[in-house]
Amino acid sequence: HLKDDQSTHDTSKLNLILFTLTYGALVTQLCKDYENDEEVNKQLDKMGYNIGVRLIEDFLARSSVGRCQDFRETADVIAKVAFKMYLGITPSVTNWSPAGDEFSLILESNPLVDFVELPDNHSTLVYSNLLCGVLRGALEMVQMAVDVKFAQDSLRGDNVTEIRMKFIKRIEENLPAGDE
Amino acid sequence: MAIFSVYVVNKAGGLIYQFDNYVPRAEAEKTFSYPLDLVLKIHDEKVVVSFGQRDGIRVGHALLSINGVDVNGKFTADGKEIIEYLKDSTNYPVSIRFGRARLSSNEKLMLASMFHSLFAIGSQLSPEVGSSGIEMLETDMFKLHCFQTLTGIKFIVLADPRQSGIDALLRKIYEIYSDFALKNPFYSLEMPIRCELFDQNLKGALEIAEKAGNFGPGS
């Protein structure tokens, strides 16, 4: 959780239930507005992206993580530092591709879906797709283009929730000087 | 005031925030009689003293106001050319205020953009690979400290050469940026920061830094 800040409210008192309910309200409203699971998934990804590009600065400002030298380090930082800081969970990093450019995050639990059951008419809805956008947006700001998607989803019947992350390329435009 | 200014530069080199913390240095207002014993010239669209020093008025000082009314570049407030005006003995005695010309916002924008380009020289000149860009620039009047985040934003602080704790201050400003600019949903990334909370908290952080306080957890 975020460390206590005198200038902002005491975050330890923030109720996770309010967060879960807020996210649920968001998804159901999107479902009403778009009436199409694919479209909702897209919107969630977009919103996640906008969150990610801002969240990364908060993450970098508060943790003392430096630039990762390779994708393995990135995976560790995401799983052990970022997920812990913002969602209080530590997914495990597994299923590395032979080229080392793809891995999976296995989430034993997911605070967003603690009380959620997907109805039959929303079988293609990726409820937590916001997270994919967040990861994509955050990594783009540190010059990494990645593809993020849910490979398994406990809400849709799988045993675990698995997020698959694939490194696409380093973003060379507007590289901060000193980072060649 | 030992911390003079703060600049925030976005990834493209554009200045998105600027704050000056210093009290204007000695400005001198004097009444003159004809003929003026200072030699004036036009420099950068301003009237400056090119020769003659007295009573706190130095070479390089700009003419700031005539008879209490601020001038507009090389013209008086009502559009007369200052140099011509001061050659006319009927306009005397006249009260003129001289002082160090403050940088205009356009000049600051240009300087920030120039610094952004220069910043890269640090890593290019380096004998070893993987050097950072310019972290500090020192003159006899001030030290410029620069911190570039992994996302390419630069936080720049100009302070007294003897002021310590600027590294901690730069990290603190990063936190304040990530809180009061980024968490404001109405603030668009890379755009000029016009958030009151950001201003307030930044000023607070500068005060703490000047008193050589520490930004401990929870400050």
Side-chain angles (χ1 to χ4, degrees), chain B residues 164-166 168-169 172 205 207-219:
Chain B
S164 64
I166 300 290
L169 173 64
K172 182 68 182 172
E207 272 170 36
I208 295 180
E210 280 178 339
K211 296 194 180 89
N214 279 325
F215 302 106
S219 68

Side-chain angles (χ1 to χ4, degrees), chain B residues 111-123:
Chain B
L111 289 172
S113 174
M114 227 185 290
F115 183 77
H116 170 84
S117 313
L118 273 181
F119 177 87
I121 285 187
S123 57

Side-chain angles (χ1 to χ4, degrees), chain B residues 1-9 15-25 102-105 108-109 112 154-159 169 173 176 192-210:
Chain B
M1 300 279 153
I3 297 181
F4 303 134
S5 335
V6 178
Y7 291 73
V8 182
V9 178
L15 185 66
I16 58 174
Y17 185 79
Q18 203 281 316
F19 175 63
D20 284 329
N21 196 27
Y22 51 84
V23 201
R25 256 152 251 137
R102 231 93 54 86
L103 286 171
S104 72
S105 13
K108 286 177 187 167
L109 259 159
K154 290 191 239 327
F155 296 96
I156 299 167
V157 168
L158 272 65
L169 173 64
I173 298 179
I176 295 176
I193 302 174
R194 300 200 202 291
C195 310
E196 271 216 38
L197 286 175
F198 180 79
D199 290 336
Q200 284 169 17
N201 281 274
L202 181 70
K203 287 181 191 142
L206 293 182
E207 272 170 36
I208 295 180
E210 280 178 339

Side-chain angles (χ1 to χ4, degrees), chain A residues 3-8 53-54 56-58 60-62 65-68 141-143 174 176-180, chain B residues 11 119-120 123 131 148-153 174-175 177-179 181-185 187-189 201 218-219:
Chain A
K3 64 178 191 270
D4 288 344
D5 222 13
Q6 269 172 18
S7 58
T8 63
V53 300
R54 292 167 187 257
I56 181 70
E57 308 271 17
D58 182 86
L60 291 174
R62 281 176 213 278
V65 168
R67 188 167 289 283
C68 294
M141 299 297 270
V142 285
Q143 298 86 45
N174 278 343
D179 277 329
E180 280 83 44
Chain B
K11 288 176 245 232
F119 177 87
S123 57
S131 156
Q148 177 170 259
T149 69
L150 293 184
T151 53
I153 305 230
Y174 188 23
E175 264 183 50
Y177 166 75
S178 86
D179 282 342
L182 291 185
K183 294 193 181 71
N184 180 346
Y187 167 68
S188 326
L189 261 52
N201 281 274
S219 68

Side-chain angles (χ1 to χ4, degrees), chain B residues 17-105:
Chain B
Y17 185 79
Q18 203 281 316
F19 175 63
D20 284 329
N21 196 27
Y22 51 84
V23 201
R25 256 152 251 137
E27 289 173 354
E29 181 148 20
K30 292 272 172 293
T31 309
F32 298 86
S33 48
Y34 188 80
L36 194 61
D37 57 353
L38 300 166
V39 179
L40 301 175
K41 67 168 183 189
I42 308 249
H43 178 70
D44 268 351
E45 297 302 305
K46 288 192 270 271
V47 177
V48 297
V49 177
S50 82
F51 194 74
Q53 271 189 182
R54 64 169 205 151
D55 299 333
I57 301 172
R58 316 264 308 264
V59 169
H61 274 193
L63 196 152
L64 299 175
S65 75
I66 294 185
N67 292 332
V69 179
D70 283 348
V71 301
N72 188 0
K74 50 187 184 177
F75 299 97
T76 63
D78 40 349
K80 304 197 198 71
E81 268 212 49
I82 295 177
I83 307 265
E84 293 307 312
Y85 181 87
L86 291 175
K87 285 199 182 123
D88 188 349
S89 58
T90 58
N91 290 321
Y92 286 78
V94 68
S95 166
I96 311 179
R97 184 155 54 93
F98 288 94
R100 188 168 181 277
R102 231 93 54 86
L103 286 171
S104 72
S105 13

Side-chain angles (χ1 to χ4, degrees), chain A residues 56-108:
Chain A
I56 181 70
E57 308 271 17
D58 182 86
F59 176 67
L60 291 174
R62 281 176 213 278
S63 68
S64 38
V65 168
R67 188 167 289 283
C68 294
Q69 299 303 321
D70 60 20
F71 205 42
R72 278 180 191 270
E73 234 188 291
T74 308
D76 277 342
V77 169
I78 292 176
K80 299 190 181 120
V81 191
F83 264 87
K84 187 104 202 336
M85 212 158 115
Y86 292 110
L87 287 175
I89 56 177
T90 311
S92 46
V93 178
T94 60
N95 285 355
W96 278 98
S97 67
D101 63 346
E102 262 192 78
F103 67 91
S104 293
L105 291 164
I106 308 284
L107 282 72
E108 300 283 319

